Amino acid sequence: MPGRAKRTGDLPTMVGAEAARPLRPKDPRELGGYTLLGRLGEGGMGSVYLARDPKDTLVAVKVIRADLAGEPEFRQRFRSEVERAKQVPPFCTAEVLDADPDHESPYLVVEYVDGPSLSSVVAQRGPLTPANLHGLAIGVATALTAIHGAGVIHRDLKPSNVLLAPGTPKVIDFGIARAVEGQPGNTRTDQLIGTVAYMAPERLDTKARKALTPAADVFAWGAVVAFAGTGRTTFAADSMPAVAVRIMTSDPDLDGLSGPLRELVLAALSKDPADRPTARDLLDRLLTSGPDRALSSGELPRQAAAAAEAGSRFAVVDADPTSMQDPAPRPGGPRWAKPVAVGLGVSTVLLGGLTVALLTGALPLPAGFAADPSASPSPSASASPSPSPSPSPSASPSPSASPSASPSPSVAATPAPYLTDALAEERRWTSRADDPNGATCLFEDKSYVATTLKDWSYLCPGPKDTLTDFRFEVDAALLTKGSCAGVSYRMTAYAGYELRVCQQKITVLRRAQGDPQDGRILRELPLDKELTLGRYQRIGVQGQGAQFRFFLAGKELREIALTDATFAEGRIVIGVDTVGHTGEAPWQVRFRRAAIWASAV
């Protein structure tokens, strides 16, 4: 619950440089070109720092303790962590950006995941709703399928190691992972590394000396899902030894779970690892059962495409790529009349971490969007984000989390985006290079780059869906001076609205006559701080009826919210704009990670 002290090794729930704990006098200020800003946490192997890379992007840096760096066993464990982390597909965990195991102070640099941990969400809001719980179960099973497919056993899956990042849960901290096929590992026989409350019985029975298999992670999956659905630690007891005894001898406490998910959790918590389903089995069964919030007609091809675009070499999609383009599903469409059966048991593995968002309605709201005002949550109801990665785990069990004695107002589940596109390759947005003036829309370096050589707008071809109420998000990086990112919405031909994000100001325009190079300015907002060229900013637009809201880098721009009823529906289009003959050609904007919600909740 809010304000509860955290044990050593848990992630603090905080956001950004301002919230990180101050550096101590003995902490480094710079490491391998990274500027350390504050401490995020620490554990048995070392400390985790919030840092900025040379491009001014926030990252998380895990540094091994100085007194352990000289010990071959611990240095080898850290080296193993780096190798394991590199093998795991990045869509389901914090992406490895850099590492130097041979540095005097060995370190690992990973993506900074700005999202709350499952443990903090449950502690602050209580158990998840059935639909969100099913979505979480799918997301974590998806991650485990990819992790095990990479030949890795996580060994410390627990609620604080599941971050609910926008659009996709991330399973983090491979600090004690090891290869499925390999040597017995770097753990001495007298060591027990991990969090006891989520350990499989075979890990606790030292006399049996059973080989560790991926089934141990499946047991942890069952304990994590049970915690998320009940708000309690499944095998809670007064002491760590008592917890271990309960895991090995007692039935799990699953009061609060029901239906097929309860049966699947119970199977995952089997005492004998041979009786547990595999991660792949979990995923297949979850995709064909659960609340009536599963796939609407036509969405399975989109889900398959989303998994494929994640770039994992482990994704196997049994679908014709040409079927993944159109028509777009609309909210409220027909449900599957029978369980999804597109080769899930044979050759379809949906390994996109964003499975949870596409199938059931994501857990937290996407970055940049506030909750639906009708939900009226209090500030205390929102979980604080928990950065990544977590430090090396403590051996003590996680405390049993329970809802606050004074429950916060419930927060309505957020519908999933009906369309997501990483913009890493041609899919819903397509290449364009037919402009006589040399303007282009091309895929480069796993991103979508819009370029114009003339001082005017250029639009890139994308989805043709006509929307009324909507939400749209995309990452945009201005590459050259004078370049502006354009997000047009409710567009018909060239008529509609546009949000124009430039280095020094943001403008909202209306193009009533359909001229792409002209428009009436409805709102204009000078920026307090000039946007950095080359740095991604999350841009958001939300429309509900005649009401429009705009977002930048996770914050609502209330100064330019507006009411205008000129256009009731239309397409969403992205592109490049210029501003006042500033700079020189080419003017360029780089886009990635687009998502569309066909509602304004």
Short mmCIF file of all heavy atoms in Angstrom, two decimals, residues 449-506:
data_model
loop_
_atom_site.label_atom_id
_atom_site.label_comp_id
_atom_site.label_asym_id
_atom_site.label_seq_id
_atom_site.Cartn_x
_atom_site.Cartn_y
_atom_site.Cartn_z
N VAL A 449 10.92 7.39 -41.93
CA VAL A 449 11.47 8.72 -42.07
C VAL A 449 10.73 9.48 -43.18
O VAL A 449 10.69 9.04 -44.33
CB VAL A 449 12.98 8.68 -42.39
CG1 VAL A 449 13.54 10.09 -42.53
CG2 VAL A 449 13.73 7.93 -41.29
N ALA A 450 10.15 10.62 -42.80
CA ALA A 450 9.48 11.50 -43.75
C ALA A 450 10.42 12.65 -44.10
O ALA A 450 10.95 13.30 -43.20
CB ALA A 450 8.19 12.04 -43.15
N THR A 451 10.63 12.89 -45.39
CA THR A 451 11.58 13.89 -45.86
C THR A 451 10.93 14.79 -46.90
O THR A 451 10.22 14.30 -47.79
CB THR A 451 12.81 13.21 -46.50
OG1 THR A 451 13.42 12.34 -45.54
CG2 THR A 451 13.84 14.25 -46.95
N THR A 452 11.17 16.08 -46.80
CA THR A 452 10.76 17.01 -47.85
C THR A 452 11.93 17.92 -48.19
O THR A 452 12.70 18.30 -47.32
CB THR A 452 9.53 17.85 -47.42
OG1 THR A 452 9.17 18.72 -48.50
CG2 THR A 452 9.82 18.68 -46.19
N LEU A 453 12.05 18.23 -49.47
CA LEU A 453 13.12 19.11 -49.95
C LEU A 453 12.61 20.52 -50.19
O LEU A 453 13.40 21.42 -50.50
CB LEU A 453 13.75 18.54 -51.22
CG LEU A 453 14.31 17.12 -51.11
CD1 LEU A 453 14.93 16.68 -52.44
CD2 LEU A 453 15.35 17.02 -50.00
N LYS A 454 11.30 20.70 -50.09
CA LYS A 454 10.69 22.01 -50.26
C LYS A 454 10.13 22.46 -48.91
O LYS A 454 9.81 21.65 -48.04
CB LYS A 454 9.56 21.95 -51.29
CG LYS A 454 10.01 21.51 -52.68
CD LYS A 454 10.88 22.58 -53.35
CE LYS A 454 11.21 22.18 -54.79
NZ LYS A 454 12.04 23.21 -55.48
N ASP A 455 9.98 23.77 -48.73
CA ASP A 455 9.52 24.32 -47.47
C ASP A 455 8.00 24.23 -47.38
O ASP A 455 7.29 25.24 -47.41
CB ASP A 455 10.00 25.78 -47.35
CG ASP A 455 9.70 26.35 -45.97
OD1 ASP A 455 9.53 25.55 -45.03
OD2 ASP A 455 9.62 27.57 -45.85
N TRP A 456 7.51 22.99 -47.30
CA TRP A 456 6.08 22.77 -47.15
C TRP A 456 5.83 21.37 -46.57
O TRP A 456 6.75 20.61 -46.32
CB TRP A 456 5.33 22.97 -48.46
CG TRP A 456 5.77 22.12 -49.64
CD1 TRP A 456 6.09 20.80 -49.62
CD2 TRP A 456 5.91 22.55 -51.00
NE1 TRP A 456 6.42 20.36 -50.88
CE2 TRP A 456 6.32 21.41 -51.75
CE3 TRP A 456 5.71 23.75 -51.66
CZ2 TRP A 456 6.53 21.46 -53.12
CZ3 TRP A 456 5.93 23.79 -53.03
CH2 TRP A 456 6.34 22.66 -53.74
N SER A 457 4.56 21.05 -46.42
CA SER A 457 4.18 19.77 -45.80
C SER A 457 4.28 18.62 -46.80
O SER A 457 4.13 18.81 -48.00
CB SER A 457 2.73 19.85 -45.29
OG SER A 457 2.58 20.91 -44.38
N TYR A 458 4.52 17.42 -46.23
CA TYR A 458 4.49 16.21 -47.03
C TYR A 458 3.90 15.10 -46.17
O TYR A 458 4.35 14.85 -45.05
CB TYR A 458 5.88 15.82 -47.52
CG TYR A 458 5.85 14.71 -48.56
CD1 TYR A 458 5.31 14.93 -49.82
CD2 TYR A 458 6.34 13.44 -48.26
CE1 TYR A 458 5.27 13.92 -50.76
CE2 TYR A 458 6.31 12.43 -49.21
CZ TYR A 458 5.77 12.67 -50.46
OH TYR A 458 5.72 11.68 -51.40
N LEU A 459 2.85 14.44 -46.69
CA LEU A 459 2.11 13.44 -45.93
C LEU A 459 2.51 12.04 -46.38
O LEU A 459 2.78 11.80 -47.56
CB LEU A 459 0.61 13.63 -46.12
CG LEU A 459 0.07 15.02 -45.79
CD1 LEU A 459 -1.44 15.06 -46.01
CD2 LEU A 459 0.42 15.42 -44.37
N CYS A 460 2.53 11.11 -45.43
CA CYS A 460 2.94 9.73 -45.70
C CYS A 460 1.73 8.80 -45.70
O CYS A 460 0.86 8.91 -44.82
CB CYS A 460 3.94 9.27 -44.65
SG CYS A 460 5.49 10.20 -44.68
N PRO A 461 1.66 7.87 -46.65
CA PRO A 461 0.48 6.98 -46.75
C PRO A 461 0.42 6.01 -45.59
O PRO A 461 1.41 5.36 -45.24
CB PRO A 461 0.69 6.26 -48.08
CG PRO A 461 2.19 6.32 -48.31
CD PRO A 461 2.64 7.61 -47.71
N GLY A 462 -0.75 5.91 -44.99
CA GLY A 462 -0.95 5.02 -43.85
C GLY A 462 -2.33 4.39 -43.88
O GLY A 462 -2.95 4.27 -44.94
N PRO A 463 -2.85 4.00 -42.72
CA PRO A 463 -4.17 3.35 -42.67
C PRO A 463 -5.26 4.24 -43.25
O PRO A 463 -5.24 5.46 -43.07
CB PRO A 463 -4.39 3.13 -41.16
CG PRO A 463 -3.02 3.16 -40.57
CD PRO A 463 -2.23 4.10 -41.39
N LYS A 464 -6.21 3.62 -43.91
CA LYS A 464 -7.31 4.36 -44.54
C LYS A 464 -8.57 4.35 -43.70
O LYS A 464 -9.64 4.75 -44.16
CB LYS A 464 -7.60 3.77 -45.93
CG LYS A 464 -6.43 3.88 -46.90
CD LYS A 464 -6.78 3.27 -48.25
CE LYS A 464 -5.65 3.46 -49.25
NZ LYS A 464 -4.40 2.85 -48.83
N ASP A 465 -8.45 3.92 -42.46
CA ASP A 465 -9.61 3.81 -41.59
C ASP A 465 -10.21 5.18 -41.30
O ASP A 465 -9.51 6.12 -40.93
CB ASP A 465 -9.24 3.15 -40.26
CG ASP A 465 -8.46 1.86 -40.46
OD1 ASP A 465 -8.54 1.30 -41.57
OD2 ASP A 465 -7.76 1.44 -39.54
N THR A 466 -11.54 5.29 -41.45
CA THR A 466 -12.25 6.52 -41.11
C THR A 466 -12.72 6.42 -39.66
O THR A 466 -13.45 5.50 -39.30
CB THR A 466 -13.46 6.71 -42.04
OG1 THR A 466 -12.99 6.87 -43.38
CG2 THR A 466 -14.25 7.95 -41.64
N LEU A 467 -12.27 7.35 -38.82
CA LEU A 467 -12.53 7.30 -37.39
C LEU A 467 -13.32 8.53 -36.95
O LEU A 467 -13.21 9.60 -37.54
CB LEU A 467 -11.22 7.24 -36.61
CG LEU A 467 -10.27 6.09 -36.95
CD1 LEU A 467 -8.97 6.24 -36.18
CD2 LEU A 467 -10.91 4.75 -36.64
N THR A 468 -14.10 8.34 -35.90
CA THR A 468 -14.78 9.48 -35.25
C THR A 468 -14.03 9.76 -33.94
O THR A 468 -13.07 10.51 -33.92
CB THR A 468 -16.26 9.18 -35.03
OG1 THR A 468 -16.40 7.92 -34.37
CG2 THR A 468 -17.00 9.12 -36.35
N ASP A 469 -14.47 9.15 -32.83
CA ASP A 469 -13.71 9.27 -31.59
C ASP A 469 -12.47 8.40 -31.70
O ASP A 469 -12.52 7.27 -32.22
CB ASP A 469 -14.55 8.81 -30.40
CG ASP A 469 -15.72 9.78 -30.12
OD1 ASP A 469 -15.75 10.85 -30.75
OD2 ASP A 469 -16.58 9.43 -29.31
N PHE A 470 -11.34 8.88 -31.20
CA PHE A 470 -10.08 8.17 -31.41
C PHE A 470 -9.03 8.64 -30.40
O PHE A 470 -9.17 9.68 -29.75
CB PHE A 470 -9.55 8.43 -32.83
CG PHE A 470 -9.07 9.85 -33.02
CD1 PHE A 470 -7.73 10.19 -32.82
CD2 PHE A 470 -9.96 10.85 -33.35
CE1 PHE A 470 -7.31 11.50 -32.95
CE2 PHE A 470 -9.54 12.17 -33.48
CZ PHE A 470 -8.21 12.49 -33.29
N ARG A 471 -7.97 7.86 -30.30
CA ARG A 471 -6.73 8.29 -29.68
C ARG A 471 -5.61 7.83 -30.59
O ARG A 471 -5.68 6.75 -31.19
CB ARG A 471 -6.54 7.66 -28.29
CG ARG A 471 -7.54 8.09 -27.27
CD ARG A 471 -6.99 8.00 -25.85
NE ARG A 471 -6.18 6.83 -25.59
CZ ARG A 471 -6.63 5.74 -24.94
NH1 ARG A 471 -7.88 5.67 -24.56
NH2 ARG A 471 -5.81 4.73 -24.71
N PHE A 472 -4.57 8.63 -30.69
CA PHE A 472 -3.42 8.27 -31.53
C PHE A 472 -2.14 8.67 -30.81
O PHE A 472 -2.05 9.74 -30.21
CB PHE A 472 -3.49 8.99 -32.88
CG PHE A 472 -2.27 8.73 -33.74
CD1 PHE A 472 -2.05 7.49 -34.31
CD2 PHE A 472 -1.33 9.73 -33.97
CE1 PHE A 472 -0.93 7.25 -35.10
CE2 PHE A 472 -0.21 9.50 -34.75
CZ PHE A 472 -0.01 8.25 -35.32
N GLU A 473 -1.15 7.78 -30.88
CA GLU A 473 0.17 8.05 -30.31
C GLU A 473 1.25 7.64 -31.29
O GLU A 473 1.11 6.64 -32.00
CB GLU A 473 0.38 7.25 -29.02
CG GLU A 473 -0.27 7.81 -27.79
CD GLU A 473 0.19 7.06 -26.55
OE1 GLU A 473 0.41 5.84 -26.64
OE2 GLU A 473 0.34 7.68 -25.49
N VAL A 474 2.34 8.38 -31.31
CA VAL A 474 3.49 8.00 -32.12
C VAL A 474 4.73 8.68 -31.54
O VAL A 474 4.66 9.78 -30.98
CB VAL A 474 3.29 8.40 -33.60
CG1 VAL A 474 3.32 9.92 -33.78
CG2 VAL A 474 4.32 7.72 -34.51
N ASP A 475 5.88 8.01 -31.64
CA ASP A 475 7.16 8.63 -31.30
C ASP A 475 7.66 9.38 -32.51
O ASP A 475 7.65 8.84 -33.63
CB ASP A 475 8.20 7.58 -30.91
CG ASP A 475 7.92 6.94 -29.56
OD1 ASP A 475 7.12 7.51 -28.79
OD2 ASP A 475 8.49 5.87 -29.28
N ALA A 476 8.13 10.61 -32.31
CA ALA A 476 8.65 11.42 -33.42
C ALA A 476 9.95 12.09 -32.99
O ALA A 476 10.04 12.62 -31.88
CB ALA A 476 7.64 12.46 -33.86
N ALA A 477 10.94 12.07 -33.88
CA ALA A 477 12.21 12.74 -33.64
C ALA A 477 12.47 13.71 -34.80
O ALA A 477 12.49 13.30 -35.96
CB ALA A 477 13.36 11.73 -33.54
N LEU A 478 12.62 14.99 -34.47
CA LEU A 478 12.94 15.99 -35.49
C LEU A 478 14.42 15.87 -35.81
O LEU A 478 15.27 15.96 -34.93
CB LEU A 478 12.62 17.39 -34.96
CG LEU A 478 11.25 17.58 -34.28
CD1 LEU A 478 11.10 19.01 -33.80
CD2 LEU A 478 10.13 17.18 -35.23
N LEU A 479 14.76 15.64 -37.08
CA LEU A 479 16.14 15.34 -37.43
C LEU A 479 16.95 16.55 -37.87
O LEU A 479 18.17 16.56 -37.74
CB LEU A 479 16.17 14.27 -38.53
CG LEU A 479 15.52 12.93 -38.18
CD1 LEU A 479 15.75 11.92 -39.31
CD2 LEU A 479 16.06 12.37 -36.87
N THR A 480 16.29 17.56 -38.41
CA THR A 480 17.02 18.72 -38.92
C THR A 480 16.33 20.01 -38.48
O THR A 480 15.12 20.03 -38.20
CB THR A 480 17.09 18.69 -40.46
OG1 THR A 480 15.76 18.60 -40.99
CG2 THR A 480 17.90 17.50 -40.95
N LYS A 481 17.10 21.08 -38.44
CA LYS A 481 16.57 22.38 -38.02
C LYS A 481 15.44 22.83 -38.94
O LYS A 481 15.54 22.72 -40.15
CB LYS A 481 17.68 23.43 -38.03
CG LYS A 481 17.27 24.77 -37.43
CD LYS A 481 18.45 25.73 -37.38
CE LYS A 481 18.04 27.07 -36.77
NZ LYS A 481 19.18 28.02 -36.71
N GLY A 482 14.35 23.29 -38.32
CA GLY A 482 13.20 23.74 -39.09
C GLY A 482 12.21 22.66 -39.41
O GLY A 482 11.13 22.95 -39.95
N SER A 483 12.53 21.39 -39.07
CA SER A 483 11.61 20.28 -39.32
C SER A 483 10.55 20.22 -38.24
O SER A 483 10.82 20.49 -37.06
CB SER A 483 12.37 18.95 -39.36
OG SER A 483 13.36 18.96 -40.37
N CYS A 484 9.34 19.86 -38.63
CA CYS A 484 8.23 19.69 -37.69
C CYS A 484 7.55 18.36 -37.97
O CYS A 484 7.41 17.96 -39.13
CB CYS A 484 7.21 20.82 -37.83
SG CYS A 484 7.88 22.49 -37.64
N ALA A 485 7.11 17.70 -36.90
CA ALA A 485 6.33 16.47 -37.06
C ALA A 485 4.88 16.84 -37.21
O ALA A 485 4.32 17.59 -36.39
CB ALA A 485 6.54 15.57 -35.85
N GLY A 486 4.23 16.30 -38.24
CA GLY A 486 2.82 16.58 -38.45
C GLY A 486 1.97 15.36 -38.18
O GLY A 486 2.25 14.28 -38.70
N VAL A 487 0.95 15.53 -37.36
CA VAL A 487 -0.05 14.48 -37.13
C VAL A 487 -1.40 15.06 -37.54
O VAL A 487 -1.96 15.92 -36.86
CB VAL A 487 -0.09 14.03 -35.66
CG1 VAL A 487 -1.23 13.04 -35.46
CG2 VAL A 487 1.23 13.41 -35.24
N SER A 488 -1.89 14.64 -38.69
CA SER A 488 -3.18 15.09 -39.18
C SER A 488 -4.25 14.09 -38.76
O SER A 488 -4.01 12.88 -38.73
CB SER A 488 -3.16 15.24 -40.70
OG SER A 488 -2.17 16.18 -41.09
N TYR A 489 -5.45 14.59 -38.44
CA TYR A 489 -6.50 13.71 -37.97
C TYR A 489 -7.85 14.22 -38.48
O TYR A 489 -8.00 15.39 -38.81
CB TYR A 489 -6.49 13.61 -36.44
CG TYR A 489 -6.56 14.93 -35.72
CD1 TYR A 489 -7.76 15.43 -35.24
CD2 TYR A 489 -5.40 15.69 -35.52
CE1 TYR A 489 -7.83 16.65 -34.58
CE2 TYR A 489 -5.45 16.91 -34.86
CZ TYR A 489 -6.66 17.39 -34.39
OH TYR A 489 -6.73 18.60 -33.76
N ARG A 490 -8.78 13.27 -38.56
CA ARG A 490 -10.08 13.53 -39.20
C ARG A 490 -9.87 14.15 -40.59
O ARG A 490 -10.51 15.12 -40.97
CB ARG A 490 -10.96 14.41 -38.33
CG ARG A 490 -11.42 13.67 -37.06
CD ARG A 490 -12.56 14.36 -36.34
NE ARG A 490 -12.94 13.60 -35.16
CZ ARG A 490 -13.72 14.08 -34.19
NH1 ARG A 490 -14.19 15.31 -34.28
NH2 ARG A 490 -14.02 13.34 -33.15
N MET A 491 -8.95 13.53 -41.33
CA MET A 491 -8.60 14.01 -42.66
C MET A 491 -9.47 13.33 -43.71
O MET A 491 -9.66 12.11 -43.70
CB MET A 491 -7.13 13.72 -42.95
CG MET A 491 -6.16 14.52 -42.10
SD MET A 491 -6.09 16.25 -42.58
CE MET A 491 -5.28 16.13 -44.17
N THR A 492 -9.98 14.11 -44.66
CA THR A 492 -10.63 13.61 -45.86
C THR A 492 -9.99 14.35 -47.02
O THR A 492 -10.07 15.58 -47.11
CB THR A 492 -12.14 13.90 -45.83
OG1 THR A 492 -12.71 13.31 -44.66
CG2 THR A 492 -12.83 13.32 -47.06
N ALA A 493 -9.33 13.59 -47.90
CA ALA A 493 -8.44 14.21 -48.91
C ALA A 493 -7.41 15.02 -48.13
O ALA A 493 -6.71 14.47 -47.30
CB ALA A 493 -9.24 15.04 -49.89
N TYR A 494 -7.35 16.33 -48.34
CA TYR A 494 -6.41 17.16 -47.59
C TYR A 494 -7.12 18.07 -46.59
O TYR A 494 -6.51 18.98 -46.03
CB TYR A 494 -5.56 18.00 -48.54
CG TYR A 494 -4.55 17.20 -49.30
CD1 TYR A 494 -4.67 17.00 -50.66
CD2 TYR A 494 -3.47 16.60 -48.65
CE1 TYR A 494 -3.74 16.26 -51.37
CE2 TYR A 494 -2.54 15.85 -49.34
CZ TYR A 494 -2.68 15.68 -50.70
OH TYR A 494 -1.75 14.93 -51.40
N ALA A 495 -8.39 17.84 -46.39
CA ALA A 495 -9.14 18.65 -45.42
C ALA A 495 -9.15 17.95 -44.08
O ALA A 495 -9.31 16.73 -43.99
CB ALA A 495 -10.56 18.88 -45.92
N GLY A 496 -9.01 18.72 -43.00
CA GLY A 496 -9.02 18.15 -41.67
C GLY A 496 -8.20 18.99 -40.71
O GLY A 496 -7.95 20.18 -40.95
N TYR A 497 -7.79 18.37 -39.60
CA TYR A 497 -7.01 19.06 -38.58
C TYR A 497 -5.57 18.56 -38.60
O TYR A 497 -5.28 17.46 -39.08
CB TYR A 497 -7.58 18.80 -37.18
CG TYR A 497 -9.02 19.18 -37.00
CD1 TYR A 497 -10.03 18.21 -37.08
CD2 TYR A 497 -9.39 20.50 -36.74
CE1 TYR A 497 -11.37 18.54 -36.89
CE2 TYR A 497 -10.73 20.84 -36.55
CZ TYR A 497 -11.71 19.86 -36.62
OH TYR A 497 -13.03 20.20 -36.44
N GLU A 498 -4.67 19.36 -38.03
CA GLU A 498 -3.28 18.93 -37.91
C GLU A 498 -2.68 19.44 -36.61
O GLU A 498 -2.86 20.59 -36.23
CB GLU A 498 -2.43 19.45 -39.07
CG GLU A 498 -0.98 18.99 -38.96
CD GLU A 498 -0.06 19.63 -40.00
OE1 GLU A 498 -0.54 20.50 -40.76
OE2 GLU A 498 1.13 19.28 -40.04
N LEU A 499 -1.97 18.54 -35.92
CA LEU A 499 -1.10 18.91 -34.81
C LEU A 499 0.32 18.96 -35.35
O LEU A 499 0.82 17.97 -35.88
CB LEU A 499 -1.19 17.87 -33.68
CG LEU A 499 -0.19 18.05 -32.53
CD1 LEU A 499 -0.49 19.32 -31.75
CD2 LEU A 499 -0.20 16.83 -31.61
N ARG A 500 0.95 20.13 -35.25
CA ARG A 500 2.30 20.33 -35.79
C ARG A 500 3.26 20.57 -34.63
O ARG A 500 3.12 21.56 -33.89
CB ARG A 500 2.31 21.51 -36.76
CG ARG A 500 3.65 21.79 -37.39
CD ARG A 500 3.57 22.99 -38.31
NE ARG A 500 2.71 22.74 -39.46
CZ ARG A 500 2.39 23.69 -40.36
NH1 ARG A 500 2.84 24.92 -40.21
NH2 ARG A 500 1.61 23.39 -41.37
N VAL A 501 4.22 19.67 -34.45
CA VAL A 501 5.19 19.76 -33.35
C VAL A 501 6.54 20.17 -33.92
O VAL A 501 7.17 19.41 -34.66
CB VAL A 501 5.29 18.43 -32.60
CG1 VAL A 501 6.33 18.53 -31.48
CG2 VAL A 501 3.94 18.03 -32.03
N CYS A 502 6.99 21.37 -33.57
CA CYS A 502 8.27 21.90 -34.03
C CYS A 502 9.22 22.05 -32.84
O CYS A 502 8.84 21.80 -31.69
CB CYS A 502 8.07 23.25 -34.71
SG CYS A 502 6.84 23.21 -36.06
N GLN A 503 10.44 22.46 -33.10
CA GLN A 503 11.42 22.57 -32.03
C GLN A 503 11.02 23.56 -30.95
O GLN A 503 11.25 23.33 -29.76
CB GLN A 503 12.78 22.99 -32.60
CG GLN A 503 13.68 21.83 -33.01
CD GLN A 503 15.09 22.31 -33.27
OE1 GLN A 503 15.39 22.84 -34.33
NE2 GLN A 503 15.95 22.13 -32.29
N GLN A 504 10.42 24.68 -31.35
CA GLN A 504 10.16 25.75 -30.40
C GLN A 504 8.69 26.00 -30.12
O GLN A 504 8.37 26.75 -29.20
CB GLN A 504 10.80 27.05 -30.91
CG GLN A 504 12.32 26.96 -31.05
CD GLN A 504 12.92 28.22 -31.63
OE1 GLN A 504 12.26 28.95 -32.35
NE2 GLN A 504 14.17 28.47 -31.29
N LYS A 505 7.79 25.37 -30.86
CA LYS A 505 6.37 25.62 -30.63
C LYS A 505 5.53 24.47 -31.16
O LYS A 505 5.98 23.65 -31.97
CB LYS A 505 5.92 26.93 -31.27
CG LYS A 505 6.00 26.93 -32.80
CD LYS A 505 5.51 28.28 -33.36
CE LYS A 505 5.62 28.28 -34.89
NZ LYS A 505 5.16 29.59 -35.45
N ILE A 506 4.29 24.44 -30.70
CA ILE A 506 3.31 23.45 -31.15
C ILE A 506 2.08 24.20 -31.66
O ILE A 506 1.62 25.15 -31.02
CB ILE A 506 2.92 22.51 -30.00
CG1 ILE A 506 4.14 21.70 -29.56
CG2 ILE A 506 1.79 21.58 -30.41
CD1 ILE A 506 3.88 20.76 -28.42
#
